[in-house]
Amino acid sequence: MGTGTYAFVRKIWRIAAAIETGVVLLMLVVILSALGTIVLQRPATRPDEMERSYSPFVLRILDLTRLTDVYHSWWFLGLLLLVSICIVAASLDRLPSRWRYLARPYKYPEEGFRRTLHPQRTVELAPEAGVSEQTAMAAAERALTARGYRPQRVAQAGQTGLFAERNRLSQLAVYVVHLSLLLIFLGTMVDGLLGWRGILTLHPGETASAVRLGDGAWRDLGFMLRSEGAGQEHYPDGTLKQVWTNVTLIEDGRAAGQSRILINAPLVYRHVRIYQSHAGANGEELEVAHQPGLWIVWIGVVVMGIGLLFVFYLVHVRMWVVPVRCAKTGKLSLWMGGSVNRHRDGFEPRFNELARSIEEELKCTTATAPDKGVSTPEIRQAE
Amino acid sequence: MGPMKEDTTAPVKTGPRRPEGGTTLIVLVGLAIALLLSTALLNELRSGALLSETTLLYATLLFYVGAAALYLGFGVRGTEGYLRWASISTWLGLAANTAVVARHWYQAGHPPLTNLYETLLSFVWAVAVLTVVAERRYGVRVIGMITMPLAIAGVVLMEQLRTEVHPLSPLLQSNWLQVHVTLAILAYAACAVSFALAIMFLIQDRVETRTFLAIASAGTLAIYASIVVASVEKWGGLAGTGWAEIAIGHGLRLKAPLALLSWSMMAALAVVATPAVCCALGYRNWSERLVAVANRSLLAGILLQGLSLAVLLRLTGPSAAAGSGWLPTALGSSPFVLTGLVSSLLIAVFFLVLAWRRTELERLLPAAELLDRVTYRTICLAFPLLTLTIATGAYWANQAWGSYWSWDPKETWAVITWLVYALYLHMRITVGWRGRRAAYFAIAGFAVVIFTFFGVSYLLRGMHAFL
């Protein structure tokens, strides 16, 4: 029974971590969200309008399937949960290999690797003319350093080579983006579970602290607001320009501050945000919101911004330079190769420029084609 | 630019045969355009103002239409001189467009970002800018062939939405608004360019002309379908704006345009759908007869669409005029209907350019692989912009009405757009999709952008309704 369960769990994990699952789930989110914009949604639409728009039979079905409140239905939220689980599974699944890749960089290019790498260049050296291994390596080191790399000498099996890389962290960029998504989900969940919204009615001169929530319940703010007057401003043509309420905050019986609440300029105090409602006439109605998960969401957004910046603009570049002696002819040459994990088309010209400058410095014959005539690049896993 | 390509597959075979000199159809289309524009000119001269925003907008339209006509001329004649003049016309249009933006900004006191008219103005301007950038910096000289019709459709729609400059309501007085809308426009313009590039890739990738016919037909069908669907009010949450109603029994109410257009539009719809149907039928076995039917229905479709357009303009003409703009239409007719008809006409006409001048186009366009990569790069630019659009929108919403996410249709569709492009990136980076599949995905993504931009305001309701 142990192996049976283990195999089953493994199978579920494989499915959860697969990209196809992610694609299917995302498409489901798309379709269901779209449905929610087409079918009239319950809290926002008045009941009489619902009844006007749908026949009773259709309306019953829509209500039963919760299509009239898609975004708060258990299956939609469950779907979002599944998406989160898949993101976690897919990330964790690839993490070990990614970590290995990060923690143990491939510093010395073996022959097989050298054969198929693109882009690459081989320059013949002429030791008799004074261009020895050491000269060539030194020239390469200088060229790399001049372009902002920090080449390190690598020794393997008696051979020495150069290795330089930049932005290794770029490999983690995708994880940052996915993490940010999870943060945003977490924030909205916290808000959904622990947050609340309501209306505070405040007549000029009065004091109030009780907020009437959407479901009819009451909530006390923990402090009091006294209205010092409200106002409106209109444009010359009569349209509304601004609505405001002047309030004094009273805590423990003492005035704790004054503020003017305008549309687009809420008052943020303690654990609540207080808004000037557009619906309220003469600034008598204030909307109050408690959003405990808000800061989590904003952190998630910022992290996503950073992550996207990393994904699109931070490229992991690796360069190798090794002297190679051909087994057949005994000729000495300098092999140079580079690799990026993204935007290969932009990298190639830069690599070629670097290789050319090294070549010119060594004043040798021009590049020979790589072994085995690999002329067009295979589509590799990197973009 | 791509190397000289040997045209061994003769793709023109599956498009309509190029007429002798192409004169008849071109003359008809040219006359129609001239008629439309001279109506506008007469209206303008009557009103007297010379450098008003309306005149400048009209000049913009004139130059964009001129550019599109020159691209069409290239389609008929094939000489590169047309392309040069088309580019000049685009530049002139951009200059006029900039003048409109500047004038509107000056008059309104805020950048043009606060309602659908202003947003469209900025969007069309951005598309024109990206067109000349693509032409100049990246040498993609025929991108205007796809972006100019887009710009034209945008200006046509704009002209009917012309309202007086209103002072900003309290809700819209926010710097975050300007940041949010600017980002949205830049993102949508980038998506539009990626769409144009994807189409050009498909041309270079030797996709058969009949597939383009199917896509064009499907696109036109979608436009007509949305007009028809939005005309029937009883379908739950779908609603048009400001239309007269006609009861046709059983609680169903039709909006005026459909009744007005009636038989002409139904005929056009049927004919327009035919190529798509032919493609579906001939999927496995594309017989000569199906090809002939598809070709003929395309040409007939152009004529019928032109007829529908004429009927619409005639029936909603000056006698029932209300509202400003150079083409006064009755309140009973939605601006989106007119724009939809114009767009489908443009799609059909420009398909003809593809059918007639496929070889020359393939010579002038860059290599397929380059187009594929640039499409990807453009989406790499669009995606962060989309992300920032949603983020700034959420932040502003939180400042304005205390909720950063209310599943408002516009918000929801913005996220859907984001998800579709995220899927594109995933398919490309992780699964390794390239070439054709990626191009189709990019085109589908832009269709979603169009729905988010217009479909939501036109077909759905919500808090974003002021846009």
Side-chain angles (χ1 to χ4, degrees):
Chain A
M1 186 181 91
T3 39
T5 332
Y6 178 68
F8 180 68
V9 168
R10 255 197 90 75
K11 185 142 185 251
I12 298 287
W13 179 261
R14 284 258 72 78
I15 297 176
I19 184 90
E20 290 85 6
T21 317
V23 169
V24 167
L25 287 178
L26 277 183
M27 297 219 267
L28 273 178
V29 172
V30 164
I31 294 172
L32 293 174
S33 313
L35 270 182
T37 61
I38 296 177
V39 174
L40 290 175
Q41 298 292 289
R42 270 280 179 201
T45 325
R46 288 194 319 273
D48 57 328
E49 196 168 350
M50 294 289 290
E51 265 148 48
R52 260 192 307 134
S53 311
Y54 299 113
S55 74
F57 177 67
V58 168
L59 193 55
R60 237 216 349 252
I61 301 218
L62 289 177
D63 276 332
L64 270 175
T65 52
R66 308 291 274 133
L67 274 172
T68 47
D69 193 9
V70 172
Y71 309 111
H72 306 105
S73 66
W74 62 268
W75 39 266
F76 190 75
L77 294 174
L79 182 63
L80 292 183
L81 185 66
L82 274 179
V83 170
S84 312
I85 293 176
C86 282
I87 291 178
V88 171
S91 306
L92 287 182
D93 194 54
R94 291 167 178 75
L95 194 55
S97 56
R98 201 52 83 94
W99 191 254
R100 261 199 302 274
Y101 183 78
L102 272 176
R104 294 205 295 264
Y106 185 64
K107 294 199 182 176
Y108 190 89
E110 306 276 322
E111 191 191 335
F113 185 76
R114 288 202 305 268
R115 228 176 314 141
T116 53
L117 184 69
H118 182 90
Q120 60 167 279
R121 243 318 157 120
T122 311
V123 176
E124 273 191 22
L125 299 177
E128 357 32 280
V131 187
S132 66
E133 257 183 55
Q134 283 70 31
T135 336
M137 294 277 279
E141 231 166 358
R142 276 195 300 275
L144 283 169
T145 319
R147 279 158 188 77
Y149 293 94
R150 282 206 302 241
Q152 28 175 301
R153 297 231 166 199
V154 181
Q156 181 157 315
Q159 309 277 9
T160 329
L162 280 181
F163 174 70
E165 70 173 344
R166 248 204 311 239
N167 301 329
R168 202 193 307 176
L169 282 180
S170 165
Q171 299 289 349
L172 289 179
V174 170
Y175 289 91
V176 174
V177 175
H178 286 145
L179 175 69
S180 68
L181 263 178
L182 293 176
L183 276 176
I184 293 174
F185 279 173
L186 180 67
T188 46
M189 211 163 59
V190 170
D191 265 348
L193 291 172
L194 301 175
W196 47 264
R197 304 173 55 88
I199 297 190
L200 180 77
T201 318
L202 196 64
H203 299 291
E206 278 186 10
T207 314
S209 76
V211 178
R212 188 187 166 82
L213 301 182
D215 54 7
W218 290 87
R219 193 123 189 172
D220 193 83
L221 278 176
F223 57 90
M224 313 201 69
L225 282 176
R226 184 173 67 219
S227 166
E228 308 294 352
Q232 286 184 350
E233 194 186 335
H234 293 265
Y235 289 107
D237 70 349
T239 44
L240 192 63
K241 183 173 181 185
Q242 189 56 268
V243 184
W244 64 84
T245 310
N246 294 321
V247 294
T248 309
L249 295 155
I250 302 174
E251 217 169 350
D252 298 326
R254 284 178 296 111
Q258 298 227 307
S259 181
R260 171 184 276 211
I261 306 177
L262 307 131
I263 292 181
N264 265 321
L267 165 64
V268 182
Y269 188 72
R270 298 261 168 215
H271 57 287
V272 290
R273 299 167 69 91
I274 305 174
Y275 297 82
Q276 176 64 60
S277 168
H278 345 305
N282 303 319
E284 282 178 9
E285 214 170 74
L286 298 173
E287 288 175 13
V288 184
H290 172 57
Q291 300 169 311
L294 184 66
W295 60 275
I296 303 178
V297 174
W298 292 143
I299 289 181
V301 168
V302 168
V303 170
M304 184 179 281
I306 297 175
L308 287 179
L309 206 67
F310 274 34
V311 167
F312 290 124
Y313 296 107
L314 216 60
V315 174
H316 182 209
V317 181
R318 293 181 296 169
M319 306 266 222
W320 300 270
V321 178
V322 288
V324 184
R325 189 173 291 278
C326 177
K328 281 195 296 227
T329 61
K331 271 212 175 93
L332 189 68
S333 23
L334 192 70
W335 179 92
M336 300 172 274
S339 167
V340 285
N341 64 344
R342 268 187 280 279
H343 299 158
R344 207 156 17 101
D345 50 315
F347 172 65
E348 260 186 63
R350 289 212 315 259
F351 173 82
N352 289 333
E353 186 269 325
L354 169 75
R356 235 193 323 271
S357 79
I358 296 179
E359 209 176 340
E360 271 167 27
E361 198 183 320
L362 299 178
K363 286 199 181 58
C364 284
T365 51
T366 43
T368 51
D371 290 343
K372 296 287 192 269
V374 176
S375 50
T376 44
E378 310 278 315
I379 303 292
R380 305 177 71 88
Q381 79 283 3
E383 171 55 33
Chain B
M1 320 271 190
M4 270 296 238
K5 281 202 165 81
E6 192 86 75
D7 181 13
T8 50
T9 54
V12 181
K13 189 169 67 170
T14 51
R17 269 174 42 88
R18 189 184 325 156
E20 298 290 299
T23 32
T24 327
L25 193 57
I26 299 311
V27 167
L28 278 178
V29 173
L31 276 181
I33 295 177
L35 179 66
L36 277 177
L37 292 180
S38 39
T39 321
L41 178 60
L42 285 174
N43 270 332
E44 252 338 277
L45 292 181
R46 242 185 273 138
S47 71
L50 216 50
L51 264 186
S52 71
E53 187 173 331
T54 321
T55 338
L56 288 172
L57 196 59
Y58 162 68
T60 311
L61 182 63
L62 186 64
F63 287 125
Y64 288 156
V65 169
L70 286 161
Y71 282 118
L72 189 61
F74 166 74
V76 175
R77 291 282 166 203
T79 43
E80 281 184 44
Y82 281 91
L83 288 184
R84 203 162 32 97
W85 283 101
S87 183
I88 293 176
S89 195
T90 311
W91 275 99
L92 288 171
L94 179 58
N97 204 346
T98 315
V100 179
V101 171
R103 180 153 175 116
H104 189 97
W105 191 327
Y106 174 69
Q107 244 192 330
H110 57 259
L113 300 166
T114 64
N115 57 33
L116 190 56
Y117 171 79
E118 295 181 349
T119 321
L120 269 170
L121 175 62
S122 310
F123 175 70
V124 170
W125 181 85
V127 167
V129 166
L130 287 175
T131 303
V132 301
V133 164
E135 275 183 14
R136 267 318 181 79
R137 232 193 109 177
Y138 296 101
V140 187
R141 289 170 66 199
V142 291
I143 197 173
M145 214 172 286
I146 301 169
T147 52
M148 278 302 107
L150 263 178
I152 292 172
V155 177
V156 167
L157 182 55
M158 253 169 73
E159 262 301 351
Q160 302 168 76
L161 296 176
R162 281 278 286 141
T163 49
E164 302 304 319
V165 174
H166 281 305
L168 291 177
S169 81
L171 206 57
L172 303 176
Q173 293 167 25
S174 169
N175 285 330
W176 282 102
L177 162 73
Q178 302 182 358
V179 171
H180 165 66
V181 178
T182 309
L183 284 168
I185 287 169
L186 290 176
Y188 292 164
C191 293
V193 170
S194 79
F195 165 74
L197 289 170
I199 289 194
M200 294 193 300
F201 167 80
L202 289 178
I203 295 176
Q204 287 298 71
D205 201 43
R206 301 306 193 90
V207 167
E208 296 176 15
T209 312
R210 69 165 181 254
T211 315
F212 281 102
L213 182 55
I215 295 179
S217 179
T220 316
L221 253 182
I223 293 174
Y224 272 63
S226 64
I227 293 176
V228 170
V229 159
S231 302
V232 183
E233 205 224 42
K234 197 71 164 65
W235 292 8
L238 298 175
T241 45
W243 294 0
E245 291 181 353
I246 298 170
I248 55 171
H250 299 295
L252 279 173
R253 285 189 292 278
L254 276 182
K255 303 291 184 173
L258 197 59
L260 278 179
L261 297 175
S262 58
W263 59 270
S264 65
M265 193 163 137
M266 287 305 173
L269 179 60
V271 172
V272 149
T274 314
V277 171
C278 287
C279 273
L281 289 175
Y283 187 63
R284 299 241 171 256
N285 188 8
W286 194 240
S287 73
E288 279 299 316
R289 241 188 97 223
L290 273 179
V291 172
V293 169
N295 291 340
R296 291 221 183 81
S297 51
L298 172 76
L299 293 170
I302 292 181
L303 287 173
L304 277 175
Q305 284 176 68
L307 188 62
S308 297
L309 193 59
V311 168
L312 172 67
L313 293 177
R314 179 80 181 80
L315 291 178
T316 62
S319 54
S324 56
W326 54 261
L327 208 57
T329 50
L331 273 178
S333 127
S334 164
F336 287 95
V337 176
L338 178 62
T339 312
L341 291 179
V342 169
S343 308
S344 0
L345 208 57
L346 287 170
I347 291 176
V349 164
F350 276 86
F351 167 78
L352 284 180
V353 175
L354 174 67
W356 292 339
R357 293 288 159 185
R358 181 91 191 238
T359 347
E360 283 88 344
L361 278 181
E362 287 180 0
R363 188 168 47 86
L364 284 166
L365 287 173
E369 212 227 88
L370 174 69
L371 285 169
D372 181 52
R373 259 189 293 126
V374 180
T375 309
Y376 168 65
R377 287 304 193 88
T378 315
I379 295 181
C380 282
L381 176 67
F383 189 74
L385 286 173
L386 279 174
T387 314
L388 284 174
T389 303
I390 298 174
T392 48
Y395 186 82
W396 173 44
N398 208 31
Q399 291 292 97
W401 51 77
S403 170
Y404 53 85
W405 195 258
S406 8
W407 289 109
D408 174 72
K410 193 92 171 183
E411 291 173 351
T412 310
W413 277 94
V415 160
I416 290 177
T417 311
W418 187 86
L419 283 175
V420 170
Y421 279 106
L423 266 174
Y424 170 91
L425 291 171
H426 271 88
M427 293 289 100
R428 208 171 162 115
I429 298 177
T430 316
V431 179
W433 274 17
R434 294 295 162 82
R436 269 191 214 181
R437 280 190 282 189
Y440 287 133
F441 217 109
I443 292 173
F446 185 64
V448 179
V449 167
I450 291 281
F451 189 82
T452 309
F453 200 167
F454 303 113
V456 172
S457 320
Y458 171 59
L459 291 173
L460 307 173
R461 285 178 276 191
M463 239 159 162
H464 250 103
F466 50 73
L467 214 54

